[in-house]
Amino acid sequence: AEATTNVMATLTVIAAPTPSQWIDATSGTPIDFPALDDGTKQGIPLGFEFQFYGQRFNTVNVCTNGFLGFITTGLDYHCDTPFPRGTYTDYNGDPMVDMIAPLWTDWSLDPDSHEHRGTGTVYYLHGGSKPDRYLVIEFHNIPHFYGGIDPDALSTFEAVLYESGKIQFNYDHIGYTGDNIVGLNYGDGVHGTTTLWNTPPGSNTSI
């Protein structure tokens, strides 16, 4: 979702998919999640100061379920209600507040869950130079919790956070076409944008 989030009141999202502006992040750093199914890795360095709904951050938290957050440390997979959403807690009691969701659903990297037998990696990659630096979080060849590991069933997508405050979602291949949310959420129940809900983004597109 190409978005300017520096000023809450002027949040804009371009919902129409465009030709893919894919950035390959597989040469970057694999994220070592504390759990491969419903796991959140906290404190990924942005490499610059990023402003989201008027708040400034230097690190971001990444969840295996296809979303990022700055205050959010939860790992919820219930994407049954579109944004905007208020603050709540996941089944572990961890907070779900702000969210950047390139494709939120019940993904799993756990090799023992539903016979996945191990597939999928999430990478982060820094690029650019000041004042045009960016961070890529790439979800690479990941299966849905209830999906298979046939190549056509796997999904590869990414979120790119730019130093300017712009956010872009890129989709290389989307194999899962079930429940999902694509969008941004502030966490106050008022401010947020759902770009897609239960409608998969197209492969080789950007939003």
Side-chain angles (χ1 to χ4, degrees):
E2 184 172 323
T4 301
T5 55
N6 289 351
V7 181
M8 185 187 307
T10 60
L11 174 67
T12 59
V13 175
I14 298 175
T18 62
S20 178
Q21 301 178 47
W22 185 258
I23 300 173
D24 184 0
T26 57
S27 63
T29 303
I31 297 179
D32 181 21
F33 290 97
L36 294 177
D37 180 40
D38 298 345
T40 295
K41 181 69 173 182
Q42 300 183 35
I44 300 296
L46 285 163
F48 49 86
E49 187 176 78
F50 186 81
Q51 197 170 172
F52 188 68
Y53 285 106
Q55 300 185 68
R56 298 178 182 274
F57 303 95
N58 294 301
T59 62
V60 66
N61 307 322
V62 180
C63 180
T64 57
N65 287 327
F67 64 82
L68 293 60
F70 301 103
I71 300 171
T72 294
T73 59
L75 38 80
D76 192 16
Y77 55 84
H78 294 102
C79 53
D80 51 357
T81 303
F83 300 142
R85 287 186 172 199
T87 298
Y88 65 101
T89 56
D90 67 11
Y91 59 80
N92 286 330
D94 295 318
M96 298 289 298
V97 188
D98 55 348
M99 295 179 69
I100 297 172
L103 193 55
W104 177 24
T105 189
D106 192 8
W107 304 110
S108 178
L109 308 178
D110 189 343
D112 296 322
S113 66
H114 287 248
E115 300 185 354
H116 289 161
R117 299 293 180 262
T119 184
T121 306
V122 182
Y123 299 90
Y124 71 90
L125 176 73
H126 297 101
S129 58
K130 188 176 182 179
D132 299 312
R133 293 171 290 187
Y134 59 84
L135 171 71
V136 184
I137 304 292
E138 177 180 335
F139 296 80
H140 184 81
N141 280 346
I142 59 172
H144 192 268
F145 184 79
Y146 293 105
I149 59 171
D150 182 277
D152 289 339
L154 302 178
S155 296
T156 296
F157 57 93
E158 65 188 15
V160 187
L161 278 59
Y162 291 89
E163 188 171 7
S164 64
K166 169 183 165 182
I167 300 169
Q168 182 165 303
F169 299 156
N170 300 321
Y171 304 93
D172 183 49
H173 174 75
I174 302 301
Y176 177 71
T177 59
D179 58 326
N180 66 79
I181 292 178
V182 174
L184 307 174
N185 193 52
Y186 179 54
D188 62 355
V190 176
H191 298 93
T193 302
T194 296
T195 305
L196 296 171
W197 183 38
N198 294 335
T199 301
S203 298
N204 300 311
T205 63
S206 296
I207 293 178

